[in-house]
Amino acid sequence: MSLAEPPLFAALAGARSVLVAGAGGGFDVYAGLPLALALRAQGKVVHLANLSFTALETLDLDVWLAPGVALVTARTEGLEDYFPERALARWLRGQREPDVVYAFPRTGVRPLREAYATLAEQLGLDAVVLVDGGTDILMRGDEAGLGTPAEDMTSLAAVAGLDVPVKLVTCVGFGIDAYHGVRHTQVLENIAALDRDGAYLGALSIPSASREAALYRDAVAHAQAATPLRPSIVNGQIAAASRGECGDVRFTSRTGGSTLFVNPLMTIYFSFTVDGLVSRVLYLDTLEDTVRMEQVVARIGRFRAGITPRTARPYPH
């Protein structure tokens, strides 16, 4: 590693075909857009995918590339009120970028891994980068609060079992998961432990004046217009931070009644190896044979009921 080359990009240097995939569902794939655009600018073939919260089962049969993998484009019909993957495809088409976004149904680990494996084979993937909007994918299980771990852990376990040379996780939106009970002193403790293990690939800020940041903000604004009743709170905060805003920034009525703390740390990618992260999650092996997301939720709940969470220290600064 060298200060002159970000370790995230060094890890992907030899890859030709890269999948950037939203780990936690919803609009998480948007959080990977700056990275995807930067990799495309380097000449790599970059594909986009997302664990979807959309009712994909209502789509036409010709949308399905394989069981568990929907191929969504700007022309995909249906689901007019909430369809982040199609909203992104339509924005990409407007930018004259490839407008395919693969969507995975919200399942357990076993079928999701099969879907990823199908995509890896068909696309000839050299690398998969899971992207989390927020940092709760870094929770090992014994923290004071885990945020919303079910989708993140399902994606992490699924990708961990893939036969792909490079498998990474990156998070953007530090601080956002406080709304769901994450104590960020424990996020920092976990990052330090991953660093000791050699699994931490460092932090990389998205420069506010960069092409990638400008296009990301435009994509987030486009998504907010496409889904006015359910805009992304996570990406709205990251986009605001990338404009240099700070504090209780308002961009949607969905945050009414809560106080936000938009800040520059939200525009930083924190990156890790999948294998290193998997080795520290205390309950991940119990999810291996899950088929439905409800099983994942139940098993995480069972694990939590049998432990005493470690005490979170207050942030001292």
Side-chain angles (χ1 to χ4, degrees), residues 99-137:
D99 70 338
V100 172
V101 180
Y102 299 98
F104 303 122
R106 192 171 172 268
T107 66
V109 170
R110 192 189 304 168
L112 184 59
R113 182 178 293 152
E114 291 172 357
Y116 266 106
T118 296
L119 211 52
E121 181 178 1
Q122 295 204 13
L123 300 178
L125 295 179
D126 304 301
V128 176
V129 184
L130 282 176
V131 182
D132 183 26
T135 53
D136 56 353
I137 199 171

Side-chain angles (χ1 to χ4, degrees), residues 55-128:
L56 298 175
E57 67 275 8
T58 66
L59 297 177
D60 291 340
L61 291 178
D62 60 4
V63 168
W64 295 93
L65 179 69
V69 185
L71 191 159
V72 178
T73 72
R75 301 173 184 82
T76 300
E77 297 181 352
L79 302 168
E80 293 303 323
D81 58 335
Y82 180 80
F83 201 169
E85 295 82 14
R86 186 182 58 203
L88 179 55
R90 288 177 174 174
W91 179 85
L92 288 165
R93 186 183 183 197
Q95 300 297 318
R96 298 186 178 180
E97 294 276 349
D99 70 338
V100 172
V101 180
Y102 299 98
F104 303 122
R106 192 171 172 268
T107 66
V109 170
R110 192 189 304 168
L112 184 59
R113 182 178 293 152
E114 291 172 357
Y116 266 106
T118 296
L119 211 52
E121 181 178 1
Q122 295 204 13
L123 300 178
L125 295 179
D126 304 301
V128 176

